[in-house]
Amino acid sequence: MYRKTVGVIGLGKTGSEVARLVKSFDMKVLAWDRRRKEAQNVDQVYGAENGDNLNELLAQCDYVVLSLELNDQTFHIIDAAQLAAMKKTAFLVNMGRGGLVNEPAMIEALKNGGIAGAGLDTFETEPLPSESPLWNLPNVIITPHITPQLPDKEERMLDYVYQNIKAYRENGTFVNRVTLRNMLTPQK
């Protein structure tokens, strides 16, 4: 990983932490987010709302880490065209949601050398069906989609509730607010 380039797709809490951690390997960090903005530990940010091209970012990366929420804008954000834009030596890591990746297109890219490999924590169908070819691909690492128990998880959840009650009463700003932009329309 030393001095390689990583693309962090989604700069929320998880993506920002990935950027911070990989900087210790002296990695060049590119990021993709809804809005182009400066971010700590990121060398360059591309923004979807600014009309930046995701494929330009992908073409530069040795590793691509997905840490996005799944919604109508991000469903299959990695499709055959994006996989083709990646280096043949690149690795895809999905720690976001399964629907971010077009799984059949990824399987094809993994089988034919379109990308070097993948680390997958989440899938379009969970649990991953036993007949999925992903189980037998030598260039795939599968991890269980389990969020670790954090010692302050309940305290932080209650803190969000209290902040939102206060915001409601005082006409303030809500935290972790779900909007129409966060929704995923059921796929047919």
Side-chain angles (χ1 to χ4, degrees):
M1 291 173 43
Y2 182 69
R3 293 205 174 183
K4 298 285 186 176
T5 299
V6 62
V8 178
I9 314 301
L11 271 180
K13 290 180 183 179
T14 302
S16 295
E17 183 65 7
V18 168
R20 185 187 72 77
L21 291 170
V22 300
K23 270 301 184 183
S24 64
F25 294 98
D26 201 21
M27 294 185 85
K28 179 178 181 182
V29 179
L30 307 177
W32 178 265
D33 204 53
R34 196 176 286 167
R35 289 173 207 83
R36 186 184 324 146
K37 58 187 177 193
E38 289 187 27
Q40 281 190 317
N41 303 305
V42 176
D43 298 293
Q44 184 174 355
V45 179
Y46 294 75
E49 290 181 355
N50 295 79
D52 293 335
N53 188 325
L54 177 60
N55 290 358
E56 288 177 20
L57 176 149
L58 295 172
Q60 300 175 62
C61 297
D62 300 295
Y63 301 91
V64 174
V65 178
L66 303 177
S67 58
L68 291 166
E69 65 182 23
L70 182 59
N71 58 44
D72 288 338
Q73 289 77 40
T74 63
F75 180 77
H76 284 185
I77 193 168
I78 302 295
D79 208 339
Q82 288 67 45
L83 292 159
M86 292 172 63
K87 297 177 181 180
K88 292 187 182 314
T89 56
F91 292 86
L92 177 66
V93 177
N94 188 2
M95 52 193 275
R97 296 286 179 250
L100 297 172
V101 179
N102 178 327
E103 229 167 78
M106 177 184 61
I107 290 168
E108 185 60 32
L110 288 162
K111 283 181 175 180
N112 72 23
I115 60 173
L120 305 171
D121 185 54
T122 183
F123 308 93
E124 287 195 82
T125 300
E126 291 186 353
L128 184 62
S130 60
E131 64 275 5
S132 171
L134 290 169
W135 288 112
N136 297 314
L137 291 176
N139 53 349
V140 173
I141 295 174
I142 295 173
T143 59
H145 189 147
I146 304 171
T147 302
Q149 291 300 318
L150 303 172
D152 63 342
K153 180 180 175 182
E154 289 179 12
E155 181 180 322
R156 286 187 298 132
M157 287 173 22
L158 286 173
D159 187 47
Y160 291 149
V161 171
Y162 296 142
Q163 288 179 55
N164 284 334
I165 290 170
K166 183 178 179 184
Y168 177 77
R169 288 180 176 165
E170 298 174 6
N171 201 24
T173 303
F174 291 91
V175 293
N176 289 347
R177 183 177 185 179
V178 176
T179 66
L180 289 176
R181 172 174 234 136
N182 304 103
M183 304 304 251
L184 175 66
T185 305
Q187 305 301 311
K188 294 179 172 111

